[in-house]
Each structure stands twice: as C-alpha cells, then as structure tokens.
Amino acid sequence: MRASRWLADRWVMIVALLVLGYLALPILVVAALSFNRPSSRLSYDFNEFTLENWRQPCATSDMCDAVLRSVQIGFLATVVATVLGTLMAFALVRHRFRGRSGINVLIFLPMATPELVMGTSLLALFVSAGVPQGFWTIVIAHVMFCLSFVVVTVKARLAGMDRRLEEAAMDLYASEWQTFRRITLPLVLPGIVAAALLAFSLSFDDFIVTNFNAGTTVTFPMYVWGAAQRGIPPQVNVIGTAMFVLALLLVGLNSLRGRRSRRAAS
C-alpha cells in the first residue's frame, strides 16, 4: 500500500524523468563516443577511452572548414532573421492594420511546409533568377525559414508583457526612446535571445534545404552525411558535444540573468 501510494503521488514526475532520459540518451551516446578510439572508421562501438579527439578536434581539416562555414552561415542568418523577425513581431502585436490576420497565417507557412518542398522551391527560384548557388543562397534560405520561428517566439514574449509598465514610464515624463531602452527592451530581451538561439540551432544543423541550395559549398551537416559513407571521424562527436555544452551554457546564463532581473525588480 505504501509503495502504491508513493507511485500514485509521483507517477507524473517518473514519466517526465523517463521521457527526459529518452531524449537525452542520444546526446549522452555522442558525448561518450567523443572519448572513444574506434577500432576502425566504420565501427561505432566503444573500443578504448582517449582524450586525443578533444586534443585534436581539427585532425580532419575539411571537417573544421565545414564547421566554420556553418557557424558563419548560422551567425549571418541569425542576425538578419532576429532583426527582421523582432521588427515584424512588434508590428503585429503593437499595431492594427489591414491584412494583419493574413500575415499571421503566412508566418506559419514556412514552419508547416515540409523542408523538401521548401528546398526544391528555393532551388527553382534561384535557378530561374539566374542566381549562382553557394554560400549566399544558403544564407538567404536559412533566413527565410528562421524568420517564422523568431517572429513566433518574440510575439509570445510581447503578448505577455504588461503595457501599463510602459504607460507608467511615459507618465513619469520618459520619452518614447527612454521607455523603449529602459522598459520595453529589457523585458523583451529574453524572448529575443531565445529566438536568436533557436534560429542559430536551426541554421547550424539544417541539411535538407541546404543540400538543395548549396552548390559546391559544404556545411557541417553535409560533411557528416558525406563522411557517413566512408566512416565518420570521431571528431564529429567532439563538435556535437561542444555545441551542446555551449548551448546549455548560453541558456543557463540567460536564465540566471532573468532570475537576477526578477529579484532586483521585486
């Protein structure tokens, strides 16, 4: 009876922990394989512990070139999509204009469209326009599908804001710019940062849309796909683990900053 009561009180938490463990299992496997010295290039079993993969992450120069290229594309796509998406979110939340409902529907189309359809459509567009495929066509494609995620994320943050805080600041003779800089921007900044992190992660690991519009440019996901046919080097697991740890640190710092802001406000 005591055990059944304990399970009845905590079954939701147990299921949640099992789901989180299921989601984290592939990440833990990648992290473990980053310390592995495989017996052959086509072997994925844990053979021998080594730190050599972390000491020489760029043992395969082509892989590091692809990683750097993916970071560059992700950074450019994130900056452009975050700026445009934030402006669009402010316009859709704070203003009423004709066609606003239709724009809200159109924003969700890139999120609902299969990547295969999006990739082939962009390829047809670039070919018909005579645009050579390469680095910049990838950036344009990534901005297009990242933009929707940024708009939705920032819109959710803006919708949850209390407009009375801005009105109170302006009642105390703050100008519109001072109100935006001291009230609006700090409140919406966590949403903007979250949207930027989401956009970068989507851009960095995209394969399908990139593969259609890359030309001869090779990004990190395309390198991994090509290397899988001849044996993935263990340094790929190092890059994957490092990116995951970096994302955790950024999310943790953003969460810590939000807690400190709330404590200071209270």
Side-chain angles (χ1 to χ4, degrees):
M1 291 293 294
R2 188 175 299 176
S4 60
R5 185 178 301 172
W6 185 88
L7 287 174
D9 293 339
R10 295 172 174 82
W11 70 271
V12 175
M13 182 185 67
I14 294 173
V15 171
L17 291 175
L18 290 174
V19 172
L20 289 175
Y22 172 75
L23 294 175
L25 184 60
I27 301 173
L28 295 177
V29 171
V30 169
L33 290 177
S34 68
F35 297 98
N36 180 39
R37 190 195 305 272
S39 55
S40 66
R41 290 184 64 88
L42 296 176
S43 175
Y44 297 99
D45 58 333
F46 197 88
N47 180 53
E48 180 184 353
F49 180 85
T50 181
L51 294 174
E52 195 64 25
N53 301 328
W54 285 88
R55 293 195 187 104
Q56 297 181 350
C58 291
T60 307
S61 60
D62 293 343
M63 186 193 71
C64 281
D65 292 340
V67 171
L68 179 61
R69 199 169 294 114
S70 289
V71 171
Q72 292 171 341
I73 293 171
F75 176 77
L76 292 172
T78 299
V79 170
V80 176
T82 302
V83 172
L84 294 178
T86 301
L87 294 176
M88 290 178 65
F90 269 94
L92 292 170
V93 173
R94 296 297 178 85
H95 300 280
R96 299 291 183 268
F97 52 89
R98 183 174 298 178
R100 178 171 171 267
S101 300
I103 293 176
N104 280 318
V105 174
L106 289 174
I107 285 173
F108 282 95
L109 285 181
M111 301 172 63
T113 303
E115 287 192 87
L116 185 64
V117 175
M118 189 182 303
T120 54
S121 300
L122 285 168
L123 174 62
L125 173 65
F126 291 137
V127 170
S128 61
V131 179
Q133 299 172 37
F135 182 91
W136 291 108
T137 54
I138 299 176
V139 172
I140 294 171
H142 286 198
V143 168
M144 194 197 73
F145 68 74
C146 288
L147 190 61
S148 297
F149 292 92
V150 173
V151 173
V152 171
T153 305
V154 179
K155 269 184 64 180
R157 182 66 179 179
L158 284 170
M161 283 178 53
D162 190 352
R163 291 293 302 273
R164 291 175 296 181
L165 296 174
E166 297 170 297
E167 294 171 357
M170 299 188 74
D171 286 342
L172 295 172
Y173 303 104
S175 64
E176 292 185 358
W177 168 246
Q178 289 174 326
T179 302
F180 176 79
R181 184 168 60 90
R182 295 180 179 271
I183 304 297
T184 308
L185 184 59
L187 289 174
V188 79
L189 188 60
I192 296 175
V193 173
L197 292 175
L198 177 61
F200 182 82
S201 63
L202 289 171
S203 174
F204 184 83
D205 73 349
D206 180 77
F207 172 76
I208 298 177
V209 176
T210 304
N211 191 40
F212 278 103
N213 300 279
T216 58
T217 304
V218 178
T219 61
F220 181 61
M222 295 178 64
Y223 173 85
V224 174
W225 176 76
Q229 304 174 19
R230 57 184 184 276
I232 299 177
Q235 284 80 8
V236 168
N237 300 313
V238 173
I239 300 298
T241 305
M243 293 298 296
F244 177 73
V245 172
L246 180 61
L248 281 183
L249 289 175
L250 291 175
V251 172
L253 290 174
N254 188 40
S255 177
L256 182 62
R257 181 184 178 279
R259 287 185 180 181
R260 288 181 176 178
S261 299
R262 286 192 294 269
R263 287 179 182 176
S266 60

